Each structure stands twice: as structure tokens, then as C-alpha cells.
Amino acid sequence: MMTLLGASSVRHVCHFFELTGLDQFIASSYGSQQKVSVQLEESTIKFSKEETIRLAKKMKPKEITVCQDETFHPETCLVAIEPEANFILLEKYSGGRKGSDWTEAMQDAVKGLPVEIIQSTSDEGKGILHHVKKGLGAHHSPDIFHVQHEIVKGTSGPLAKKIKKAQQTLEKASEEVNRRIDEKVKYDSKEPDPGRPPQFNKKIKNALQKETVAMQALEASQSHQVRMRQAVRKISNIYHPVDLDAGKLKGVEEISDSLNQCFTEIENVSEEAKLSERSLKRIKKAKNVVVDMVATILFFHQTIQRKVEALSLPPTIESIMFDKLIPAFYLRYASKKAKAAADRHCLQKRSKEILLSFRNKQDLFSEINQEKLTMIETVAEECASLFQRSSSCVEGRNGQLSLRHHSFHRLSNRKLAALTSVHNFFIKRKDGTTAAERFLGSKPKAMFEFLLENIDLPGRPAQKRMAPKQKESLHAMA
């Protein structure tokens, strides 16, 4: 498993056997271990296919969201992951990245699985957009990272250059002030000349005025940079269907107005800083995605409305689901992705408080049995996890594949499929579950035991022959 879990090659495995002394019991030649490596990859792929088919028969039908992206080795590799379980649905090389290529690959990936893709999160690539809207007939959720990145890419460099230029201007202005003052001091220290004295005070005053203007320009440039950063960060804080402070669902119009205010501030800063046309084009490109962001919030509200109404609950309990239960589970999800520890603890605490207040209202659920109550919480959790604003899981996977490609110079189709199988069926989270178990809903068999039963391990190596000089030395010793 060393060659599938890390960046080890067959030669590393051979070297490991030699260093540990196991080469006395197991053949450690490259040829022997190469055969084992091929069997290992083939058996891993076989296990993945068999278990997927077996567990898919037990799987309950469900609606899913996928995150999609491409990476290049330099062949185009299409990658799609179900983010909640972190299950890789698709990871294969393709002849291109057109919409038709994506649709064909995804149809093959979900074949036999009782799932319906209702949403996809990705960048704004034309091929993926066409595939999601036409091929899948699903909703496309934009990746907020690409929105913010577009703004940062168009403004951070120009604003930093303006600050640097303002600093250089201020330094020159300050040097001019000091030079004028030194001239006056030097002139005053000498005996007065009979002629008319130079107008040092006027020159110093003019230099001070230039210094003041330069200082104001620097402060303005720094202010532009701070305001731009705050506006970009605010986009991330706003783009949630739940108010993270109040623990309440937010309306579509509220989020739309807030996002437009952010871009108004960004445009104002750009105008004040007199950024180039190139920067303004990037800002406009990012702003065009706001329509899709608002549409995603609307999609979220419509979908959770449909899911909750399908339970046929009394109006009071239905209202509690929207006001408390779904926001509480969303805060729990948001806490896992918060960067600062203080933010994580705060969101977790708020989530627990809302859930506790829900569970304390036992009088409202007197007519509902425990099974129904469990279903209510399960649906609320599904609703909370529906909102997907980032495809970072795919970006991370692409990074791993790039490291593997860099290490081996090329990933074969068999190697890529084996790596996918190991990710889904072998690697576990802290809770002891694999991605396959979380996605398919049932625990798969142990992959390692399957490999032990299906791989022919190399036999005991032949006794190594001694070199002629070694034999002579042994005879001499005897």
C-alpha cells in the first residue's frame, strides 16, 4: 500500500525491504515487486467496483451536490466529488473538457447509483456550465473563491503599487523639507551677506505643503487598500443563507442588496484610486456572478421548502424547522470551515444553544413518535448541507494528483483508478468512516483483507551467491 498511500515508488519498496532485512524472506528485486504493484492496483480497482455495486443496491435514493473541476498532467483529468461525504465520483482522463465530455463522463460515473445530481459547484468555465445546465439539468452554484480571486487579482497589485509610489513621493518630499531647513540653518550660522537674503521661509513652507500633500496621498492609498480588503472579505461573510450572528435564515433580497453594496464600495474605491481599465474589467467580471450567487440562495430556499413540505408536518413544527433546526445545523457546518478558533467555538456554541432550545420543547412533539422526530432532524441536516459555495475539496484533490504526477512524471489510467479507490474505500476520517461508507450509507468490507486474499506475494528469495573475492577471503580465514 506504500505506493498508493504516499509518494513511494516500487524502488522505494525494494529499498525498504533491504534496509529492514526483510529481503532475506521476501524477494526484493524490482521485477518481483513490480508484479506485486500491478496486482495491488488491479485488485484495488476490482474491490472498488465490486463494493460499489454491492452497496449501491442497499443505498437509499438521494439528491446530491457535486463539486467539479479539471486538472492537467498534461492530459485533461476530470474530477468530481460529493462534498458532504468527500466521495470521488469521477476521476479520469478525458480527450477534452467540453460540456459533452463532462456529461458523458458523469453519466458513466453515476451509472447504477440511486442518486440525482441537483446542484454543481465549480468555476465559471464554459464547458462545465454547459454540462451542468444542459447535460445534468441541475443548478450551478458559483465558487465564491473565484469571485473574490478575480477582484483581488485585478486590484491588489495596482493598489500596492500606488502605495509604494506614494511612499517614495513622501520620502522625496521629506528630504526636500530637510534640505531646505539645513540650507537655512547653514546660512544663518554664517556672517550675513550684504545682499538680499534668500527666501528660505517661503521655500520651507512650499516644501512642507508638498510633504503634507504626499502624506495625504499615502493615507488615501492605504485607505483604498484597507477598504478594498474589507469589501472583499465582506462578500464571504454575507454569502450565507443563515445569519451567523443571529442564527436565522436570511432572505434572498437581503443578501442581494448586501452583495450589491459590497460591489458598490469596490467600484467606488476603484474610481477614487483611478485603477486601470484592466482592473475594472476584472471587477465587472466578478460582479456578473452576483446574479448566480443570488440564484443559488433562491435555489436553497426553494429546495429546503420542498423537502420540509414533503414531511407533511403541522405548521408550528414546520416553522420551528425553518427558524431553529435548519439554522442550527448550518451553524454547525459553518463552524467546521471557520478559520479562527474563536469563530469556530462561537458558532458551535450558538448551534448547541439553538438545538437545545428545540429539544426542550417536548410538549410540541407529544404527538410525534421518535422515528418521525429522527427523520425531522435528518431532513433538517440535509437541508443545511445543501448550500455549497466552494469547490475546495476538488481543488485539494487536484493538488494531490499534481504532486503524484510530479513524482512519477505520469499517472497511468490504472494508477489513477487505484488512487481513487484507496481514497474512497481505505482512507478514514477521525470518526473511523470511509468516504464510501458516508456516501453509500453502508460499511464496506475491509479493503486490506481483500488485497491479502487476492495478491500473490513473492516467494522467498534465492540464496545470494558470493563474489569470488569473498570466497577467497573465507577460505583464507578457514
Side-chain angles (χ1 to χ4, degrees):
M1 295 294 288
M2 288 171 61
T3 55
L4 296 178
L5 290 174
S8 299
S9 65
V10 174
R11 295 195 185 279
H12 291 148
V13 176
C14 299
H15 193 47
F16 169 78
F17 284 135
E18 292 169 1
L19 290 175
T20 56
L22 293 174
D23 60 332
Q24 300 294 323
F25 309 97
I26 301 173
S28 61
S29 65
Y30 182 86
S32 300
Q33 291 304 318
Q34 170 66 13
K35 291 178 182 178
V36 175
S37 180
V38 172
Q39 281 191 349
L40 174 67
E41 292 173 4
E42 291 176 345
S43 298
T44 301
I45 298 168
K46 181 183 177 183
F47 174 86
S48 175
K49 290 179 178 179
E50 291 179 358
E51 282 299 283
T52 301
I53 294 171
R54 184 179 72 85
L55 297 178
K57 295 177 181 178
K58 304 178 182 179
M59 186 180 178
K60 295 179 180 179
K62 64 178 181 178
E63 298 173 335
I64 63 170
T65 295
V66 294
C67 296
Q68 298 172 286
D69 197 14
E70 308 105 353
T71 187
F72 306 93
H73 299 146
E75 302 98 331
T76 303
C77 181
L78 308 181
V79 183
I81 297 178
E82 195 282 316
E84 184 62 22
N86 198 31
F87 183 85
I88 300 176
L89 286 164
L90 171 66
E91 193 169 64
K92 65 180 291 187
Y93 290 116
S94 172
R97 51 173 176 162
K98 296 183 296 184
S100 56
D101 297 323
W102 267 108
T103 301
E104 183 182 351
M106 284 302 297
Q107 287 175 346
D108 185 56
V110 299
K111 188 177 181 180
L113 295 174
V115 298
E116 179 187 358
I117 300 174
I118 62 171
Q119 181 180 221
S120 171
T121 304
S122 71
D123 56 27
E124 300 298 305
K126 292 181 180 179
I128 292 183
L129 285 178
H130 184 272
H131 150 68
V132 173
K133 295 177 181 179
K134 302 295 183 181
L136 296 178
H139 171 75
H140 178 262
S141 173
D143 190 333
I144 190 174
F145 165 78
H146 293 283
V147 176
Q148 294 177 301
H149 179 68
E150 201 67 42
I151 301 169
V152 171
K153 197 172 181 180
T155 61
S156 62
L159 290 176
K161 286 181 180 178
K162 288 182 179 295
I163 290 176
K164 186 176 181 181
K165 186 177 180 180
Q167 287 173 336
Q168 292 173 344
T169 303
L170 178 60
E171 289 174 2
K172 290 180 180 179
S174 299
E175 289 174 0
E176 177 70 11
V177 170
N178 293 331
R179 188 168 63 84
R180 294 300 182 186
I181 293 173
D182 290 341
E183 287 177 354
K184 184 177 185 305
V185 171
K186 186 177 180 181
Y187 182 84
D188 292 341
S189 64
K190 298 190 301 181
E191 293 183 3
D193 292 334
R196 185 177 178 181
Q199 296 180 334
F200 289 111
N201 292 335
K202 185 177 180 180
K203 293 180 179 179
I204 292 172
K205 184 180 179 180
N206 291 337
L208 287 171
Q209 287 178 346
K210 289 181 180 179
E211 185 183 39
T212 303
V213 171
M215 193 175 296
Q216 291 173 348
L218 176 60
E219 290 174 355
S221 298
Q222 291 172 335
S223 174
H224 292 154
Q225 188 182 60
V226 171
R227 286 168 58 193
M228 184 65 74
R229 286 176 178 172
Q230 290 175 343
V232 172
R233 287 173 185 164
K234 197 174 179 181
I235 293 173
S236 178
N237 296 333
I238 290 169
Y239 192 46
H240 288 281
V242 174
D243 189 320
L244 301 184
D245 295 323
K248 299 287 183 181
L249 287 173
K250 295 194 291 187
V252 177
E253 291 184 3
E254 177 188 353
I255 295 174
S256 177
D257 292 341
S258 299
L259 288 173
N260 285 324
Q261 288 174 10
C262 286
F263 276 93
T264 299
E265 172 68 1
I266 290 170
E267 289 169 344
N268 289 340
V269 172
S270 302
E271 186 177 346
E272 292 173 15
K274 297 179 181 179
L275 296 183
S276 66
E277 189 66 27
R278 185 177 180 182
S279 297
L280 297 178
K281 282 183 179 179
R282 289 193 177 277
I283 293 171
K284 185 178 180 181
K285 182 180 178 181
K287 188 178 181 180
N288 290 338
V289 185
V290 170
V291 176
D292 294 330
M293 295 169 73
V294 175
T296 298
I297 299 294
L298 179 61
F299 170 79
F300 172 82
H301 280 279
Q302 292 175 339
T303 306
I304 66 172
Q305 185 77 33
R306 172 174 57 83
K307 286 179 176 290
V308 173
E309 287 178 353
L311 297 174
S312 301
L313 299 172
T316 307
I317 298 178
E318 194 172 286
S319 178
I320 290 175
M321 284 195 71
F322 289 117
D323 295 340
K324 291 188 177 294
L325 209 50
I326 295 175
F329 282 119
Y330 185 84
L331 291 177
R332 180 191 291 179
Y333 281 114
S335 69
K336 296 176 182 177
K337 300 176 183 180
K339 291 184 179 180
D343 293 337
R344 288 196 296 271
H345 296 321
C346 184
L347 290 171
Q348 288 170 2
K349 182 181 178 182
R350 197 170 295 123
S351 173
K352 290 177 181 177
E353 288 174 353
I354 298 173
L355 286 173
L356 185 62
S357 67
F358 162 76
R359 288 163 182 159
N360 285 338
K361 295 181 179 181
Q362 295 296 330
D363 53 326
L364 295 173
F365 308 102
S366 56
E367 298 180 0
I368 299 177
N369 57 37
Q370 185 60 40
E371 184 179 352
K372 185 75 171 179
L373 194 59
T374 304
M375 184 183 295
I376 289 172
E377 291 198 16
T378 302
V379 171
E381 197 166 357
E382 288 177 1
C383 290
S385 63
L386 177 68
F387 183 71
Q388 187 66 34
R389 65 178 198 163
S390 171
S391 59
S392 57
C393 57
V394 179
E395 300 289 353
R397 181 62 182 176
N398 288 347
Q400 289 186 11
L401 291 179
S402 295
L403 289 175
R404 292 302 188 100
H405 174 261
H406 181 73
S407 176
F408 297 117
H409 304 294
R410 184 180 181 276
L411 292 176
S412 64
N413 291 328
R414 186 184 67 231
K415 184 79 170 182
L416 184 62
L419 291 172
T420 306
S421 302
V422 168
H423 173 93
N424 286 339
F425 288 91
F426 188 78
I427 297 174
K428 297 180 180 180
R429 284 181 178 172
K430 290 182 179 179
D431 59 4
T433 61
T434 60
E437 181 179 351
R438 294 188 295 271
F439 178 72
L440 298 169
S442 301
K443 189 172 183 177
K445 296 177 182 177
M447 175 183 277
F448 193 69
E449 293 180 5
F450 178 87
L451 296 177
L452 291 177
E453 293 173 359
N454 288 270
I455 295 177
D456 299 324
L457 297 177
R460 192 183 182 95
Q463 188 174 1
K464 294 182 179 180
R465 298 178 180 177
M466 289 186 183
K469 290 184 179 180
Q470 288 180 318
K471 287 184 179 181
E472 291 177 3
S473 62
L474 285 174
H475 286 306
M477 291 174 62

